[in-house]
Amino acid sequence: MKKILLFVCILFSLRVNAFSLTFPMDVFQKSSLHTDFAIQEDEKLGDPWGYAFFLVAAAGVVCVVGSGIVYMWANTAGFTDYPYSDPKYNDYIVHGTLEALRPEFPASQFDCNYSRFSLGTSLVYLNDFGIGNETQFEGFFFSYIGPFLENLALYDFNKGSQDFDSKGFRDNIKLGGQISVLQSNILSASFVAQASAWYGNGLPESKCGNFMGWGCNLGGFFRSYPIKPLVLEYKFGWQLYSHGFRVFESDLHLGVMLKRFEIFAAWKTLDFSNYSEKEHYKRYDGASFGTRIYFSPY
């Protein structure tokens, strides 16, 4: 049976070769011209599939390398008791991968925590919007993911009475968490996602009155410990609600460490708009002054 199949295959191959030899010469000439034309067109246009493959491959390499860097500098971080608590290197964020660079004082000798938290409170004044208090609790479990909780409670004397009636109160609560993107003493960065809501007179100047209800807040959080005892920080986010209502918030922060406590001042902005109707309501700017404590549960 195998010999019969082999014979059939050889016969078929010979038949095909013989059939090709019986083609007229002008067919080959036409085919050659067509091939030359196709090659010329490819030279003119390039190979789009080749470029696409190159771009996809390059993007893949960047993603893999970037993921490795993020894992090394975010997920493997450890923390000393509080910023600048180490008298020799002034480190707050340490990495075990740096042991070879500092053999005389390796990272394994640090009394490191793999979670860290901070709790802060401040007096806030926003021009034409109110005066009150802001409380913030944030931190990390497992070195790279953790809670980010905020509450801003203000009272506007222009809308309410001196007896603090309900017309003047405004409260913005944000409940959620953060994921670290980069962690080092010079610069740390994380992505923040929260559920957010306004209570009271959120924005009386808008057409919607108490428009807010629950929405989401998406933003970023940057922190730096450049030189003892300074702390630099910038936080921003977009609060997104139904019917296109949006609140942009930014907070630029400068602090000074006193042991595990930080005394800080910040410039705060709230900007209210409606992106679906392309309408801008009003922007409020102001300052805040407060204190914060750093700690770990272990």
Side-chain angles (χ1 to χ4, degrees), residues 1-170:
M1 186 64 181
K2 294 181 179 179
K3 293 181 179 179
I4 294 174
L5 292 175
L6 180 61
F7 175 76
V8 171
C9 291
I10 294 173
L11 181 63
F12 179 76
S13 176
L14 293 174
R15 176 62 181 152
V16 171
N17 292 334
F19 179 74
S20 64
L21 291 175
T22 59
F23 271 64
M25 291 302 297
D26 59 343
V27 174
F28 288 99
Q29 292 173 358
K30 292 178 180 179
S31 176
S32 176
L33 290 173
H34 176 73
T35 304
D36 293 342
F37 176 76
I39 292 174
Q40 291 175 4
E41 287 297 315
D42 286 343
E43 290 177 352
K44 291 179 180 179
L45 300 177
D47 185 0
W49 292 107
Y51 288 125
F53 176 79
F54 173 77
L55 293 175
V56 170
V61 171
V62 170
C63 290
V64 171
V65 174
S67 299
I69 293 174
V70 168
Y71 180 82
M72 183 179 71
W73 289 100
N75 301 5
T76 64
F79 310 97
T80 54
D81 289 339
Y82 52 87
Y84 306 112
S85 63
D86 168 43
K88 188 170 184 179
Y89 291 100
N90 290 329
D91 280 333
Y92 179 47
I93 302 170
V94 294
H95 297 267
T97 54
L98 299 182
E99 291 184 11
L101 301 180
R102 302 190 310 201
E104 74 280 5
F105 194 49
S108 59
Q109 294 183 13
F110 281 95
D111 184 15
C112 286
N113 306 300
Y114 290 96
S115 62
R116 65 113 186 121
F117 301 96
S118 69
L119 174 64
T121 184
S122 61
L123 175 67
V124 180
Y125 172 76
L126 292 175
N127 189 33
D128 293 330
F129 195 65
I131 184 171
N133 171 264
E134 183 172 33
T135 301
Q136 179 190 93
F137 174 73
E138 63 83 28
F140 287 121
F141 300 110
F142 319 119
S143 301
Y144 63 94
I145 186 170
F148 207 111
L149 313 176
E150 299 173 280
N151 186 70
L152 175 65
L154 300 174
Y155 188 81
D156 185 1
F157 288 99
N158 295 324
K159 303 299 178 183
S161 67
Q162 299 294 326
D163 297 327
F164 298 100
D165 60 25
S166 60
K167 294 181 181 180
F169 280 104
R170 298 164 179 173

Side-chain angles (χ1 to χ4, degrees), residues 199-218:
Y199 295 99
N201 294 324
L203 186 62
E205 292 81 1
S206 73
K207 298 177 182 179
C208 50
N210 299 337
F211 68 90
M212 297 300 188
W214 282 93
C216 68
N217 179 62
L218 303 175

Side-chain angles (χ1 to χ4, degrees), residues 102-291:
R102 302 190 310 201
E104 74 280 5
F105 194 49
S108 59
Q109 294 183 13
F110 281 95
D111 184 15
C112 286
N113 306 300
Y114 290 96
S115 62
R116 65 113 186 121
F117 301 96
S118 69
L119 174 64
T121 184
S122 61
L123 175 67
V124 180
Y125 172 76
L126 292 175
N127 189 33
D128 293 330
F129 195 65
I131 184 171
N133 171 264
E134 183 172 33
T135 301
Q136 179 190 93
F137 174 73
E138 63 83 28
F140 287 121
F141 300 110
F142 319 119
S143 301
Y144 63 94
I145 186 170
F148 207 111
L149 313 176
E150 299 173 280
N151 186 70
L152 175 65
L154 300 174
Y155 188 81
D156 185 1
F157 288 99
N158 295 324
K159 303 299 178 183
S161 67
Q162 299 294 326
D163 297 327
F164 298 100
D165 60 25
S166 60
K167 294 181 181 180
F169 280 104
R170 298 164 179 173
D171 187 85
N172 180 210
I173 183 170
K174 299 192 289 290
L175 307 175
Q178 60 180 328
I179 299 176
S180 175
V181 178
L182 172 69
Q183 289 205 52
S184 69
N185 293 288
I186 297 300
L187 178 63
S188 295
S190 59
F191 171 73
V192 178
Q194 300 164 307
S196 58
W198 283 85
Y199 295 99
N201 294 324
L203 186 62
E205 292 81 1
S206 73
K207 298 177 182 179
C208 50
N210 299 337
F211 68 90
M212 297 300 188
W214 282 93
C216 68
N217 179 62
L218 303 175
F221 183 54
F222 300 88
R223 184 179 283 172
S224 175
Y225 306 98
I227 186 172
K228 187 177 182 178
L230 296 181
V231 179
L232 301 177
E233 188 175 293
Y234 178 64
K235 177 174 66 70
F236 68 93
W238 287 269
Q239 299 180 38
L240 307 175
Y241 300 93
S242 60
H243 308 295
F245 294 107
R246 175 176 61 188
V247 182
F248 174 74
E249 179 181 7
S250 71
D251 198 309
L252 183 61
H253 168 123
L254 173 63
V256 176
M257 293 299 303
L258 302 173
K259 296 292 185 178
R260 67 174 60 252
F261 290 92
E262 177 190 349
I263 308 298
F264 65 85
W267 183 257
K268 191 175 187 66
T269 297
L270 288 176
D271 192 285
F272 294 80
S273 62
N274 187 310
Y275 63 86
S276 63
E277 298 180 2
K278 298 182 179 179
E279 183 176 3
H280 181 260
Y281 297 133
K282 198 167 182 180
R283 170 175 169 168
Y284 302 93
D285 296 290
S288 66
F289 304 91
T291 184

